[in-house]
Amino acid sequence: MGCLQCYNKVEKLTGKLFGLYGAFVAKHPWSVIVIAIVANVFMGIGMSRMEIEKDMEVLYTPENNQAMKDRIKVKTSFCDKSATNFFPHSQTGSGNYADIIFEANGNIITENCLSEIRRVRDTIVNFTITDSTNDVTLKYTDICAKRNSQCVITGNVILSSNFEEHIYFGNISYPYLENNFIADVLGNVKVTNGFLKYASLVKLRFHLNEASLDSEKVKKWMESFLKQIAAISTNKTKTLFAHSDSLNNEISSNLDDDIVLFILTFIFIILYASLATANWKCVSDKQNLAKSGVLVTIMSIVGSIGLVSSCHVKVVDMVGVMPFLILGIGIDDMFVLLAGLAETYDDNPEMNPEERIKQVMKSSGVGITITTLTDVIAFFVGASSSFLSVKNFCIYTGELKINKLYGLVK
């Protein structure tokens, strides 16, 4: 009983405060609207400082986990030698690379197939791209990982003349051929008495320099790799290709695709809200109020993303879901306000606008605030997650929920 009385007192006080606020808005409507728009535009400027985190390991592993700490320790203890004395097993992570897989319908260990693979390899090595920033041309040899002044390409061993001799005599030992491990180069193999008889897949990996000074050059070369490799024609084999950033790029491209869905969703919501509130009467039609409620959501999204981005909170792929989530669970606040407005007409059709808005905010403001606080608390608790993807998503969405409440009460 005591808890109920306490709740009633809090509800009454909150309703009174919202009523006073509603009366203030009714007296100064244009001032409040202009302030709300200017505030969201000002916060939206922060989108120019938006940073996007694409690294899957950073996003989906706990922050400051022991594996990351150990990797950092190894990197600081041992200098990078990818440009002078590179060994694949010395890498602390996956590194920078470009992969191409050749697939044949039959046995790929034939002179014709290997000759075609060799031709493709030489084409990739001689790729030339232009770095517009420094006005220079780049080739694989300029940014490759090297050992003994030679670029390291995993799989080169099967393209050598020595391997051709083993093919001729039919004595290709597997998985080691003269101390060279070839199991990571060949796929779908058939082995008899320790000798390779058949394989239908060959994988070449072009290792790239990991020095931070060359990171932009490496990125440009990898982007060019995907474009130029697709233009190479093969007759004996089918090719599949990727590079170390392919997964991150694919996820980013999915976010770009969401933009179209985002626009279509808002169009659908605006149409629905307009039809749901329309009675086709000039005086009591509430279509424009419904449309403004949806537009407030757009303003809130822009302002919230800008504000959080200006605080150097990186955007993660999950943030792309945020607008749809806010529309799905938040547009109901607009209908609550419209329902409260309709009730005032039922109670007293002659009520003046100031008193009407005051009653709407007094009755509906409390309910909207409680539901919003419930969502905000849930998201801000999620912001304590050790996973960067979950944490940043909750920060963006929680702040947006607050900003949306602020906008709707306008």
Side-chain angles (χ1 to χ4, degrees):
M1 192 66 178
C3 292
L4 181 59
Q5 290 178 347
C6 180
Y7 173 79
N8 289 334
K9 290 181 179 179
V10 172
E11 183 182 21
K12 185 177 180 180
L13 176 61
T14 306
K16 183 178 179 180
L17 293 175
F18 269 106
L20 294 174
Y21 176 72
F24 175 81
V25 171
K27 286 181 179 179
H28 311 89
W30 285 109
S31 298
V32 174
I33 291 174
V34 170
I35 290 173
I37 293 175
V38 171
N40 276 280
V41 170
F42 180 76
M43 290 189 294
I45 295 175
M47 293 181 68
S48 61
R49 304 178 65 179
M50 183 186 297
E51 301 176 59
I52 302 176
E53 180 59 68
K54 299 180 181 179
D55 193 319
M56 293 297 101
E57 184 179 20
V58 174
L59 290 174
Y60 298 107
T61 57
E63 293 182 290
N64 299 318
N65 61 74
Q66 191 60 44
M68 286 186 177
K69 292 179 180 179
D70 292 343
R71 183 178 302 168
I72 293 172
K73 185 175 181 180
V74 170
K75 284 186 175 182
T76 54
S77 300
F78 301 93
C79 60
D80 174 48
K81 295 184 178 181
S82 59
T84 55
N85 192 31
F86 175 81
F87 287 89
H89 61 264
S90 66
Q91 294 177 295
T92 56
S94 59
N96 298 320
Y97 59 83
D99 281 343
I100 180 167
I101 297 176
F102 299 86
E103 181 181 10
N105 291 327
N107 189 6
I108 203 170
I109 308 301
T110 64
E111 178 55 35
N112 288 336
C113 289
L114 292 180
S115 177
E116 185 171 80
I117 294 173
R118 196 178 292 111
R119 173 178 63 83
V120 174
R121 178 205 60 185
D122 294 340
T123 303
I124 294 173
V125 170
N126 292 312
F127 277 165
T128 300
I129 65 170
T130 302
D131 184 0
S132 57
T133 305
N134 300 316
D135 195 25
V136 296
T137 57
L138 295 175
K139 297 176 68 174
Y140 173 67
T141 51
D142 297 320
I143 44 86
C144 68
K146 296 180 179 179
R147 183 171 66 247
N148 298 326
S149 300
Q150 298 293 322
C151 291
V152 178
I153 303 175
T154 299
N156 253 349
V157 61
I158 69 166
L159 303 178
S160 64
S161 57
N162 182 46
F163 191 79
E164 291 182 5
E165 294 180 6
H166 285 282
I167 294 176
Y168 179 79
F169 291 107
N171 61 348
I172 306 174
S173 58
Y174 187 89
Y176 284 93
L177 177 65
E178 297 180 357
N179 296 324
N180 293 308
F181 188 68
I182 61 175
D184 58 349
V185 179
L186 301 169
N188 192 23
V189 300
K190 294 180 182 178
V191 181
T192 303
N193 298 324
F195 290 96
L196 181 68
K197 299 300 181 183
Y198 175 92
S200 64
L201 297 170
V202 167
K203 175 182 177 181
L204 299 183
R205 171 163 290 189
F206 298 79
H207 296 280
L208 303 170
N209 195 342
E210 296 184 37
S212 58
L213 293 176
D214 291 333
S215 60
E216 287 301 318
K217 295 180 181 179
V218 169
K219 186 177 295 185
K220 291 180 182 296
W221 187 90
M222 288 194 296
E223 291 174 356
S224 178
F225 167 79
L226 293 181
K227 297 176 182 178
Q228 297 194 48
I229 195 66
I232 299 177
S233 61
T234 54
N235 299 318
K236 305 294 182 182
T237 59
K238 182 175 70 173
T239 58
L240 305 170
F241 43 87
H243 57 65
S244 50
D245 281 344
S246 289
L247 178 60
N248 298 334
N249 292 344
E250 282 299 314
I251 291 177
S252 297
S253 66
N254 289 338
L255 290 179
D256 295 337
D257 295 339
D258 287 343
I259 294 176
V260 176
L261 295 176
F262 177 73
I263 295 172
L264 292 176
T265 300
F266 269 102
I267 292 174
F268 173 78
I269 290 295
I270 289 175
L271 290 175
Y272 169 75
S274 299
L275 293 174
T277 56
N279 60 9
W280 314 110
K281 296 179 181 179
C282 296
V283 177
S284 58
D285 195 14
K286 301 182 182 66
Q287 286 191 57
N288 290 333
L289 288 175
K291 291 174 184 176
S292 64
V294 178
L295 293 176
V296 161
T297 303
I298 299 177
M299 291 175 53
S300 300
I301 291 172
V302 173
S304 298
I305 293 178
L307 178 61
V308 179
S309 296
S310 65
C311 297
H312 300 287
V313 178
K314 292 185 177 181
V315 175
V316 298
D317 56 305
M318 291 176 65
V319 172
V321 182
M322 178 185 66
F324 305 101
L325 180 63
I326 292 301
L327 275 176
I329 68 175
I331 207 68
D332 56 332
D333 292 344
M334 177 195 70
F335 287 107
V336 170
L337 290 172
L338 291 177
L341 182 63
E343 289 178 0
T344 62
Y345 283 98
D346 295 335
D347 295 338
N348 184 1
E350 304 301 326
M351 189 182 299
N352 64 68
E354 181 180 330
E355 184 63 27
R356 193 180 303 281
I357 297 301
K358 180 178 180 181
Q359 291 301 318
V360 170
M361 293 306 302
K362 186 175 181 180
S363 60
S364 302
V366 176
I368 292 176
T369 302
I370 291 175
T371 57
T372 300
L373 286 178
T374 302
D375 294 335
V376 169
I377 291 172
F379 286 124
F380 282 168
V381 169
S384 63
S385 173
S386 59
F387 291 89
L388 184 67
S389 56
V390 177
K391 182 175 74 173
N392 286 15
F393 167 73
C394 290
I395 291 174
Y396 272 95
T397 311
E399 201 282 330
L400 173 56
K401 191 66 178 175
I402 294 175
N403 195 25
K404 185 169 178 296
L405 170 64
Y406 171 75
L408 279 173
V409 296
K410 299 296 184 289

